[in-house]
């Protein structure tokens, strides 16, 4: 990409650090070529960037696509194969020692980044207290337009929280599809640990900040059925609960101050939100006959569940929906997923097998 290189040279980009983009892939033949092409188009000096892909024993031709693409790529693309299948976390543990960059960037196999994304992420490391940076994910429809309902509303709320948490010091929770960290802070994780959750906490543990950079944009396709979204949320919630158990010492406010309060309120209480929700619903049912505010509470609860059910049926039928339907539906989907994950957690179950998210 000579035009990019000449532009880089004219703007003094010789001081930019070498970066390594790490991608774990399992049966991603449908998406991996477009993702690699997207990384080739990034506005970053081609002599200071590389892409490392680890195939988790893919069986659908993913490896052949990566090899073919690397042969004509303008920036280095290296393929590694993990056999037997061990999951994303183990794959990243393998890639990191092979990475040449002082900054590691993490991308999903279906993640499309804005051309300026790497520059925005890297710039955050000018602050020596910053150890980990996450970008902003937006969901898009097949035509590229932004999704404007349930899961998008949830992400808007999460991103607002991240902006406020960055102002406080560190954020709680990252996207995983557009992240960056200092290589020397990376710590190998167990195969059953969720890297998008545990690795940033490990950075906090080492005394560095985890921050949000909203100008580093990631576009991912929205899931087109509630079943896929629900399964993904159960899987992520379960692994997050185990991560909270592993890193529970970070919830000590006497040692970690405000961040401990953030971790408790943003994550622990969020995954336990189904408890007050169930309590309120049961109380509204039992107290409805007393009239007054109790009857209003019952009517409101019934209306909320009805709207959620309509949102569910319309989503399952691929029908157009409004925010008044999709927000209640997605809210209940998240809490039901947390309930199911909590039951599995209490049983001691762990989902080690990795199935990449699709949106």
């Amino acid at each position: 990409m000579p035009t990019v290189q000449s532009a880089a040279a004219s703007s003094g980009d010789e001081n930019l650090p070498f970066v390594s983009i790490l991608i774990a892939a399992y049966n991603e033949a449908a998406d991996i070529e477009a993702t690699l092409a997207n990384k080739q188009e990034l506005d970053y000096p081609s002599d200071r960037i590389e892409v490392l892909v680890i195939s988790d024993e893919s069986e659908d031709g993913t490896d052949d696509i990566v090899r073919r693409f690397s042969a004509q790529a303008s920036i280095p693309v290296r393929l590694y194969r993990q056999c037997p299948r061990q999951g994303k976390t183990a794959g990243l543990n393998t890639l990191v020692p092979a990475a040449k960059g002082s900054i590691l960037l993490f991308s999903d196999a279906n993640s499309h980044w804005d051309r300026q994304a790497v520059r925005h992420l890297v710039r955050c490391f000018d602050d020596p207290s910053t150890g980990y940076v996450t970008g902003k994910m937006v969901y898009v429809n097949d035509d590229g337009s932004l999704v404007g309902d349930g899961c998008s509303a949830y992400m808007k709320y999460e991103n607002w929280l991240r902006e406020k948490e960055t102002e406080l010091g560190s954020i709680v929770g990252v996207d995983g599809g557009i992240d960056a960290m200092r290589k020397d802070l990376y710590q190998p994780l167990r195969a059953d640990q969720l890297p998008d959750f545990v690795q940033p906490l490990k950075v906090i543990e080492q005394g560095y900040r985890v921050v949000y950079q909203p100008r580093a944009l990631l576009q991912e396709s929205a899931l087109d059925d509630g079943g896929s979204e629900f399964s993904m949320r159960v899987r992520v919630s379960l692994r997050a609960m185990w991560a909270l158990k592993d890193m529970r010492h970070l919830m000590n406010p006497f040692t970690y101050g405000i961040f401990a309060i953030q971790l408790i309120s943003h994550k622990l209480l969020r995954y336990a939100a189904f408890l007050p929700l169930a309590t309120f619903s049961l109380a509204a049912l039992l107290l409805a006959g007393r009239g007054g505010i109790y009857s209003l509470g019952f009517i409101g609860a019934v209306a909320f569940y009805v709207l959620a059910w309509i949102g569910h049926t319309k989503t399952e039928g691929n029908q157009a929906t409004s925010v008044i339907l999709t927000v209640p539906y997605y809210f209940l989907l998240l809490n039901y997923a947390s309930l199911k994950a909590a039951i599995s957690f209490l049983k001691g179950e762990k989902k080690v097998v990795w199935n990449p998210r699709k949106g």
Side-chain angles (χ1 to χ4, degrees), residues 284 287-302:
L287 298 175
R290 295 193 178 189
I293 192 171
Y294 300 110
S295 295
L296 288 176
F298 175 73
I299 293 171
V302 170

Side-chain angles (χ1 to χ4, degrees), residues 40-333:
Q40 301 289 308
E41 296 169 358
L42 294 170
D43 182 13
Y44 202 82
S46 59
D47 61 341
R48 289 177 175 80
I49 189 170
E50 65 175 356
V51 178
L52 280 65
V53 180
I54 186 156
S55 173
D56 194 21
E57 202 174 13
S58 296
E59 303 167 332
D60 66 342
T62 295
D63 298 18
D64 293 335
I65 294 173
V66 176
R67 291 191 190 97
R68 185 170 63 249
F69 190 95
S70 65
Q72 47 82 42
S74 57
I75 63 175
V77 176
R78 291 187 279 154
L79 173 68
Y80 296 79
R81 185 169 173 83
Q82 183 170 255
C83 293
R85 188 179 172 204
Q86 300 173 59
K88 177 180 179 178
T89 308
L92 293 179
N93 288 341
T94 298
L95 287 183
V96 169
K100 299 176 181 178
S102 60
I103 302 296
L104 306 176
L105 299 106
F106 305 106
S107 169
D108 289 333
N110 63 335
S111 295
H112 287 201
W113 295 357
D114 178 78
R115 291 188 74 247
Q116 300 293 323
V118 175
R119 289 181 180 271
H120 291 309
L121 291 171
V122 167
R123 199 166 292 132
C124 293
F125 294 103
D126 290 343
D127 181 350
S129 69
T130 298
Y132 198 108
V133 185
T134 191
K136 179 179 180 180
M137 178 169 64
V138 293
Y139 287 113
V140 295
N141 297 306
D142 291 339
D143 61 0
S145 62
L146 292 178
V147 174
D149 45 25
C151 64
S152 182
Y154 169 73
M155 287 309 304
K156 288 177 182 176
Y157 172 66
E158 279 286 309
N159 290 333
W160 177 82
L161 281 179
R162 288 169 182 168
E163 288 180 359
K164 301 308 176 184
E165 289 176 340
T166 297
E167 294 173 6
L168 282 175
S170 288
I171 66 172
V172 179
V174 301
D175 279 321
I178 183 163
D179 291 352
M181 70 177 294
R182 299 182 189 273
K183 182 183 179 182
D184 57 3
L185 297 181
Y186 184 90
Q187 294 188 12
L189 304 177
R190 300 193 314 268
D192 65 305
Q193 289 182 306
L194 184 64
D196 308 345
F197 195 171
V198 179
Q199 198 62 246
L201 295 181
K202 292 285 188 180
V203 169
I204 296 290
E205 189 178 42
Q206 295 175 74
Y208 288 81
R209 299 173 65 218
V210 178
V211 302
Y212 171 59
Q213 174 49 268
R215 292 196 291 174
L217 294 176
L218 155 70
Q219 291 187 348
E220 283 198 4
S221 299
L223 292 169
D224 57 5
D225 69 278
S228 297
E229 177 74 16
F230 179 74
S231 298
M232 183 270 286
R233 287 295 170 187
V234 172
R235 189 166 62 249
V236 170
S237 298
L238 177 58
R239 297 185 74 182
M241 290 175 185
W242 283 109
L244 286 171
K245 181 181 180 181
D246 290 341
M247 306 298 291
R248 58 189 179 276
H249 58 282
L250 294 182
M251 289 186 276
N252 182 351
F254 296 103
T255 304
Y256 292 95
I258 189 66
F259 182 78
I261 305 301
Q262 291 174 233
L263 187 57
I264 292 170
S265 63
H266 191 164
K267 290 300 181 182
L268 180 61
L269 295 183
R270 179 189 128 190
Y271 288 118
F274 63 87
L275 292 172
L277 176 63
T279 301
F280 171 79
S281 300
L282 180 60
L285 175 63
L286 296 177
L287 298 175
R290 295 193 178 189
I293 192 171
Y294 300 110
S295 295
L296 288 176
F298 175 73
I299 293 171
V302 170
F304 186 82
Y305 282 104
V306 168
L307 291 174
W309 177 254
I310 296 174
H312 165 71
T313 55
K314 285 185 174 292
T315 300
E316 291 296 302
N318 292 321
Q319 302 177 43
T321 56
S322 66
V323 68
I324 198 172
L325 298 177
T326 51
V327 168
Y329 164 53
Y330 197 72
F331 177 80
L332 289 182
L333 181 146

